[in-house]
Amino acid sequence: MHDTPPSVPDFTQWPSFPFEGDLRVKQLDDPVPVEPPRKGEGLRECTACNAPDDAYIWVGERWRVRAMDRPTGLPMVLILESRTHLDLGDLPNLLAAELGVMTVRLERAIRSLDGVARVHVNRWGDGSAHLHMWFLARPYGRLQLRGTFLSLWDSILPPISEAQWRENLALVAAWLAEFGGRPLAEPPRIQWQAPSSLLAQSAAAHAAAEAEAVSVIEAAEEIPEPTPDSAGAADSSDGVDDGDGVDDGDSDGRAGTGTDSPTDKETAEPVGIAGNDESTDGTDDGARSDPAPDEAASSTVPEDDASTTAAAVTEHGQGGPRGGR
């Protein structure tokens, strides 16, 4: 190891880099011989598997979509999860094909929202072994938010209003439900109040949102567990055993029901809906053909729902339920 940290890289001068001033690179820790288990590995409980469906904004037979438990700085932050406890490299052919269809479908739904220019799709997975894909909406016109550091800006920007956030969630859930599944997010209700009470209540809500909002970069599901040495040091100094008090998925917080806070963004899952939730009529046997024997055993997916690929063809031709933006 070097005695002095390396020089600051050039990307700190990019317009999209959210910090300025004197910066210093941390010393890199020595590698550990054995990495600690993620949530859902070994004896560690999986938050996503135990999460109820009402913690999600949309649920299907094999996929669920959840949000943070409160608004953050970006117009929309959503997490796509598989119902089955599998990681990305463990998906059988059918689910792997459906992942592509669901990724495109959810990206289109988010991009249809007012004020959204691009949707960034990310997968980290160091905090949880249950597959979860992040979808981050970049605000239109905010060129400084382009690129790699969008998840950092989500922690820095002031949160959007809760009314707008809930309306966006309901719109995305309704878009997905056009192709099957069950929408669980509802638009905000009108609360009739005396005009004199609106200003004070708005200021209090804004202050509470700024104090409590948890962003993508802070999601528990994306924070790797500390090494045994560092964990022991923290326990001895604080005298408190944190344990798994905040589960990645649960702490991520799913939108709509306000149940968990976003960290690795894995939490509750909605119950499967009857019928084909991610499929349309035609099925393309070629797209999901010949799964390996072990894959066929692990995938207990009904054949009628496997027609998502055909649904994708329909979407491509029509530009989604509402057409292009």
Side-chain angles (χ1 to χ4, degrees):
M1 297 295 296
H2 298 287
D3 293 334
T4 58
S7 59
V8 175
D10 292 340
F11 65 71
T12 58
Q13 304 301 317
W14 295 357
S16 60
F17 188 68
F19 307 105
E20 60 184 1
D22 295 334
L23 299 173
R24 184 167 57 90
V25 178
K26 286 184 176 180
Q27 287 282 7
L28 190 62
D29 294 336
D30 294 333
V32 298
V34 178
E35 292 194 1
R38 301 172 295 172
K39 289 180 174 62
E41 283 182 332
L43 300 178
R44 299 200 62 192
E45 186 177 5
C46 178
T47 306
C49 288
N50 295 330
D53 277 356
D54 60 8
Y56 292 73
I57 70 165
W58 175 89
V59 296
E61 186 171 353
R62 295 181 292 278
W63 302 95
R64 299 191 292 182
V65 175
R66 64 185 173 90
M68 314 297 279
D69 61 346
R70 59 183 63 89
T72 58
L74 298 179
M76 183 56 58
V77 175
L78 292 176
I79 302 165
L80 173 65
E81 293 178 352
S82 60
R83 233 181 227 287
T84 308
H85 185 79
L86 296 168
D87 207 345
L88 181 61
D90 303 322
L91 295 179
N93 289 344
L94 173 61
L95 290 181
E98 286 188 345
L99 175 60
V101 173
M102 287 301 302
T103 298
V104 173
R105 185 175 296 169
L106 184 53
E107 190 274 347
R108 287 175 177 166
I110 298 173
R111 190 159 40 87
S112 72
L113 299 174
D114 289 340
V116 173
R118 297 283 185 276
V119 180
H120 294 200
V121 181
N122 300 277
R123 182 258 181 181
W124 292 287
D126 282 330
S128 174
H130 196 117
L131 173 63
H132 56 286
M133 306 284 292
W134 289 83
F135 293 74
L136 314 178
R138 178 177 69 78
Y140 188 88
R142 295 286 188 178
L143 301 185
Q144 196 172 352
L145 273 57
R146 293 181 298 180
T148 309
F149 306 111
L150 185 62
S151 61
L152 298 180
W153 282 106
D154 185 47
S155 303
I156 299 170
L157 298 173
I160 65 173
S161 70
E162 182 164 354
Q164 184 62 61
W165 176 66
R166 291 192 177 277
E167 181 179 350
N168 289 345
L169 293 178
L171 290 172
V172 171
W175 177 294
L176 295 175
E178 290 287 334
F179 303 95
R182 179 158 56 98
L184 299 177
E186 297 180 354
R189 294 180 174 84
I190 298 177
Q191 298 181 355
W192 301 103
Q193 298 176 353
S196 59
S197 66
L198 294 178
L199 183 59
Q201 186 176 25
S202 176
H206 180 72
E210 286 187 329
E212 299 175 5
V214 178
S215 64
V216 176
I217 199 68
E218 299 167 311
E221 292 153 356
E222 300 304 344
I223 301 177
E225 288 298 307
T227 60
D229 292 342
S230 61
D235 290 342
S236 62
S237 62
D238 296 339
V240 179
D241 184 5
D242 293 337
D244 286 336
V246 178
D247 196 318
D248 290 355
D250 293 329
S251 59
D252 282 355
R254 289 45 109 228
T257 59
T259 42
D260 295 323
S261 76
T263 20
D264 191 66
K265 283 124 197 223
E266 350 240 49
T267 30
E269 305 191 6
V271 319
I273 41 284
N276 21 351
D277 56 350
E278 283 115 355
S279 64
T280 54
D281 294 330
T283 59
D284 184 0
D285 293 334
R288 54 176 199 276
S289 62
D290 302 325
D294 56 332
E295 293 175 342
S298 63
S299 174
T300 59
V301 188
E303 282 297 322
D304 58 314
D305 281 321
S307 53
T308 320
T309 307
V313 175
T314 303
E315 290 179 54
H316 180 72
Q318 299 176 353
R322 296 182 182 78
R325 291 185 66 246

